[in-house]
Short mmCIF file of all heavy atoms in Angstrom, two decimals:
data_model
loop_
_atom_site.label_atom_id
_atom_site.label_comp_id
_atom_site.label_asym_id
_atom_site.label_seq_id
_atom_site.Cartn_x
_atom_site.Cartn_y
_atom_site.Cartn_z
N PRO B 133 -14.69 35.90 -17.30
CA PRO B 133 -15.86 36.81 -17.14
C PRO B 133 -16.87 36.75 -18.26
O PRO B 133 -18.04 36.77 -18.04
CB PRO B 133 -15.18 38.21 -17.01
CG PRO B 133 -13.80 37.92 -16.50
CD PRO B 133 -13.44 36.59 -17.04
N GLN B 134 -16.35 36.57 -19.50
CA GLN B 134 -17.23 36.59 -20.64
C GLN B 134 -18.10 35.33 -20.72
O GLN B 134 -19.01 35.26 -21.50
CB GLN B 134 -16.52 36.84 -21.96
CG GLN B 134 -15.36 35.90 -22.25
CD GLN B 134 -13.99 36.46 -21.79
OE1 GLN B 134 -13.93 37.04 -20.72
NE2 GLN B 134 -12.98 36.29 -22.59
N ASP B 135 -17.71 34.28 -19.91
CA ASP B 135 -18.47 33.07 -19.91
C ASP B 135 -19.67 33.13 -18.95
O ASP B 135 -20.53 32.23 -18.91
CB ASP B 135 -17.60 31.91 -19.51
CG ASP B 135 -16.39 31.64 -20.48
OD1 ASP B 135 -16.66 31.78 -21.62
OD2 ASP B 135 -15.27 31.40 -20.02
N LEU B 136 -19.69 34.21 -18.17
CA LEU B 136 -20.75 34.35 -17.15
C LEU B 136 -21.69 35.52 -17.58
O LEU B 136 -21.31 36.36 -18.44
CB LEU B 136 -20.19 34.66 -15.77
CG LEU B 136 -19.22 33.57 -15.25
CD1 LEU B 136 -18.60 34.05 -13.90
CD2 LEU B 136 -19.87 32.23 -15.10
N SER B 137 -22.83 35.58 -16.89
CA SER B 137 -23.82 36.63 -17.24
C SER B 137 -23.45 37.93 -16.48
O SER B 137 -24.32 38.44 -15.78
CB SER B 137 -25.22 36.12 -16.85
OG SER B 137 -26.15 37.09 -17.08
N ILE B 138 -22.23 38.40 -16.69
CA ILE B 138 -21.82 39.60 -15.97
C ILE B 138 -22.17 40.90 -16.72
O ILE B 138 -22.63 41.86 -16.14
CB ILE B 138 -20.27 39.53 -15.69
CG1 ILE B 138 -19.98 38.38 -14.66
CG2 ILE B 138 -19.71 40.85 -15.12
CD1 ILE B 138 -18.54 38.13 -14.36
N ASP B 139 -22.02 40.86 -18.06
CA ASP B 139 -22.38 42.00 -18.85
C ASP B 139 -23.84 42.33 -18.69
O ASP B 139 -24.30 43.51 -18.58
CB ASP B 139 -22.06 41.81 -20.31
CG ASP B 139 -20.52 41.86 -20.56
OD1 ASP B 139 -19.86 42.47 -19.68
OD2 ASP B 139 -20.06 41.30 -21.58
N ALA B 140 -24.69 41.27 -18.64
CA ALA B 140 -26.12 41.45 -18.46
C ALA B 140 -26.44 42.10 -17.03
O ALA B 140 -27.36 42.97 -16.91
CB ALA B 140 -26.85 40.10 -18.56
N LEU B 141 -25.70 41.68 -16.02
CA LEU B 141 -25.86 42.29 -14.73
C LEU B 141 -25.47 43.77 -14.70
O LEU B 141 -26.24 44.54 -14.17
CB LEU B 141 -24.92 41.50 -13.74
CG LEU B 141 -24.79 42.16 -12.34
CD1 LEU B 141 -26.12 42.08 -11.58
CD2 LEU B 141 -23.70 41.45 -11.56
N VAL B 142 -24.35 44.04 -15.35
CA VAL B 142 -23.90 45.45 -15.37
C VAL B 142 -24.97 46.30 -16.16
O VAL B 142 -25.29 47.37 -15.76
CB VAL B 142 -22.53 45.61 -16.05
CG1 VAL B 142 -22.14 47.05 -16.27
CG2 VAL B 142 -21.49 44.85 -15.22
N ALA B 143 -25.55 45.72 -17.24
CA ALA B 143 -26.55 46.42 -18.01
C ALA B 143 -27.83 46.67 -17.16
O ALA B 143 -28.43 47.76 -17.25
CB ALA B 143 -26.92 45.64 -19.29
N ARG B 144 -28.18 45.65 -16.32
CA ARG B 144 -29.38 45.83 -15.41
C ARG B 144 -29.17 46.99 -14.46
O ARG B 144 -30.04 47.76 -14.19
CB ARG B 144 -29.66 44.55 -14.67
CG ARG B 144 -30.37 43.54 -15.43
CD ARG B 144 -30.67 42.26 -14.59
NE ARG B 144 -31.86 42.39 -13.85
CZ ARG B 144 -32.38 41.43 -13.09
NH1 ARG B 144 -31.76 40.25 -13.02
NH2 ARG B 144 -33.47 41.60 -12.41
N VAL B 145 -27.91 47.03 -13.89
CA VAL B 145 -27.60 48.08 -12.89
C VAL B 145 -27.50 49.44 -13.60
O VAL B 145 -28.07 50.44 -13.12
CB VAL B 145 -26.28 47.73 -12.16
CG1 VAL B 145 -25.86 48.84 -11.27
CG2 VAL B 145 -26.45 46.47 -11.38
N ALA B 146 -26.94 49.41 -14.79
CA ALA B 146 -26.77 50.68 -15.52
C ALA B 146 -28.11 51.29 -15.98
O ALA B 146 -28.26 52.51 -16.12
CB ALA B 146 -25.87 50.46 -16.77
N ALA B 147 -29.05 50.41 -16.09
CA ALA B 147 -30.45 50.88 -16.61
C ALA B 147 -31.06 51.65 -15.55
O ALA B 147 -32.05 52.40 -15.77
CB ALA B 147 -31.27 49.65 -16.99
N GLY B 148 -30.64 51.61 -14.25
CA GLY B 148 -31.18 52.41 -13.20
C GLY B 148 -32.32 51.73 -12.45
O GLY B 148 -32.79 50.67 -12.86
N GLY B 149 -32.68 52.38 -11.33
CA GLY B 149 -33.81 51.81 -10.56
C GLY B 149 -33.37 50.76 -9.48
O GLY B 149 -34.21 50.42 -8.65
#
Side-chain angles (χ1 to χ4, degrees):
Chain B
Q134 55 266 42
D135 300 320
L136 303 176
S137 176
I138 293 175
D139 287 341
L141 169 68
V142 175
R144 279 180 87 175
V145 173

